[in-house]
Amino acid sequence: MAHSNVHAVTSVRNSEVRRKDAPVNTDEFSGEANASYGQVLQTLSEGSVHRRFDPYLDIDWDSPDFRIDPADKRWILPPADPLGRHPWYLAQSEEKQIAIGIWRQANMCRVGLHFEQLLIRGLMQYMFSLGNGDPEFRYITHEAAEECNHTLMFQELVNRAGVDVPGMGPIDRKLTLAIWPAVRYFPTWFFTMIIGGEEPIDHLQKTVLRSGGQVHPLLERVMQIHVAEESRHISFAHEYLRRHVSGMGAVGRFALSLLTPLTFRIMGDMIAVPPREFRKTFGIPRSVMRELYWKSPESRETLQNIFADVRTLAWDTGLMNPIARRLWKLLAIDGPISRYRSEPTAEQVRIARLSQSA
């Protein structure tokens, strides 16, 4: 199945505040370098009108090719998933590998659904205070509509998978209570939370799609649609922060510089780390889970790669001060920055080679 084109708009640099040796970040979806914020939002809005998906028109759920068979080997986790290339998983029976794969992928969709629901609620709360003529209103409404479609798409896949997955764990759900006061009193932090949830999902799905390995066609189609539309959403969140962080006072900006890596680290775990039920259901040793999330050098590299794009954003917006840099390192999410949005990492190249040789 051919991959859908990913449509997005470049992030416009209104100001460049970065270390001297940091390369200029030219987005892979380039637009006019001097476009205004309003023009960027207009372009994104037009993209939502002309390049959008409907989960019940663009996915033939009842196609025989999309049927979920609990004996289908295509549900075995690919090397693109950290667990899929771990020796413990590879030593399991084929039947158990398939069952783990279905549960894992369905729960990722359920986690994505929960995040999208939280995002939609926050966006509606944010828009309540926007004035007439504000260009953010139209684009954010388009984005919320697309996120609603994503929740339908994710839940449909979960329903058809036939596994009762929990999605976010109980602790994660409590942490999300910070969203509502953030929207009201610290909106730049709220949009940092949005990026903290969108970037890990986007990175992990792109790793799977770029690997060229065998993936069930229904899961592949869901990922293609999600990646295509999330490109716009991520572009907007990045552009929002570039626009609004520059106008913050010194105290607010410093607070955000510390909250940013903390938020990304917490959100990365919420999105990528399976809940306790996963380990209990399949008898996965605690040592394996610790190694995968994030004790081994390989898993640390995955964690760092997830946030390469947002490290660039932190440099761009002046949030990478000396204290913040130490915090990024302490949280094990420091590392090189992307030269452009979604730049393939060395890890993704290795995984692609491994997948194609399997």
Side-chain angles (χ1 to χ4, degrees), residues 42 50 59 169 205 211 218 240-241 255 277 297-298 323 339 355:
Q42 177 69 22
H50 300 293
I59 300 177
Q205 289 184 338
S211 71
L218 177 58
Y240 177 93
L241 289 175
E277 290 90 337
E298 185 181 42
I323 297 177
R339 293 174 299 172
S355 298

Side-chain angles (χ1 to χ4, degrees), residues 126 182-183 185-195 237 240-246 248 252-253 256 260 319:
Y126 175 79
V183 175
Y185 300 107
F186 206 168
T188 49
W189 183 31
F190 167 62
F191 280 92
T192 300
M193 293 179 189
I194 289 178
I195 295 174
Y240 177 93
L241 289 175
R242 290 192 179 91
R243 169 80 173 188
H244 291 278
V245 170
S246 61
M248 295 175 65
R253 185 186 294 218
L256 185 61
T260 293
L319 297 177

Side-chain angles (χ1 to χ4, degrees), residues 5 26 63 74 92 105 147 196 246 260 282-283 291 310-311:
N5 290 329
T26 54
S63 167
R74 292 174 298 183
Q92 304 306 302
Q105 302 292 7
E147 301 292 23
S246 61
T260 293
F282 297 103
E291 185 178 347
V310 292
R311 285 193 295 270

Side-chain angles (χ1 to χ4, degrees), residues 13-171:
R13 272 40 175 180
N14 291 318
S15 64
E16 293 291 333
V17 185
R18 58 166 77 235
R19 59 183 182 183
K20 293 181 180 179
D21 61 331
V24 175
N25 182 26
T26 54
D27 198 293
E28 63 180 323
F29 305 108
S30 293
E32 294 183 6
N34 296 319
S36 70
Y37 184 58
Q39 289 173 321
V40 171
L41 295 186
Q42 177 69 22
T43 303
L44 289 169
S45 294
E46 290 174 356
S48 292
V49 171
H50 300 293
R51 299 186 183 277
R52 59 190 174 90
F53 298 90
D54 185 300
Y56 293 103
L57 294 178
D58 295 294
I59 300 177
D60 185 0
W61 294 98
D62 295 322
S63 167
D65 293 337
F66 287 173
R67 186 173 69 89
I68 297 180
D69 180 353
D72 192 334
K73 296 180 183 180
R74 292 174 298 183
W75 286 104
I76 293 176
L77 291 174
D81 187 291
L83 178 57
R85 58 183 184 269
H86 192 278
W88 179 88
Y89 180 75
L90 296 173
Q92 304 306 302
S93 67
E94 183 178 281
E95 180 181 8
K96 188 171 183 178
Q97 288 184 18
I98 294 171
I100 289 174
I102 293 176
W103 202 103
R104 168 70 169 153
Q105 302 292 7
N107 196 70
M108 285 289 288
C109 286
R110 182 72 174 168
V111 169
L113 181 153
H114 284 157
F115 174 74
E116 306 283 30
Q117 289 175 325
L118 293 166
L119 186 154
I120 294 164
R121 290 169 63 185
L123 290 178
M124 293 298 103
Q125 181 181 344
Y126 175 79
M127 287 198 298
F128 196 78
S129 61
L130 295 181
N132 296 323
D134 193 317
E136 289 181 354
F137 176 85
R138 179 185 172 188
Y139 173 71
I140 292 176
T141 303
H142 282 307
E143 178 172 330
E146 290 167 358
E147 301 292 23
C148 284
N149 276 336
H150 294 173
T151 65
L152 290 169
M153 179 173 68
F154 287 151
Q155 188 62 61
E156 189 68 29
L157 187 147
V158 172
N159 293 345
R160 289 172 182 263
V163 287
D164 188 18
V165 291
M168 286 185 181
I171 296 177

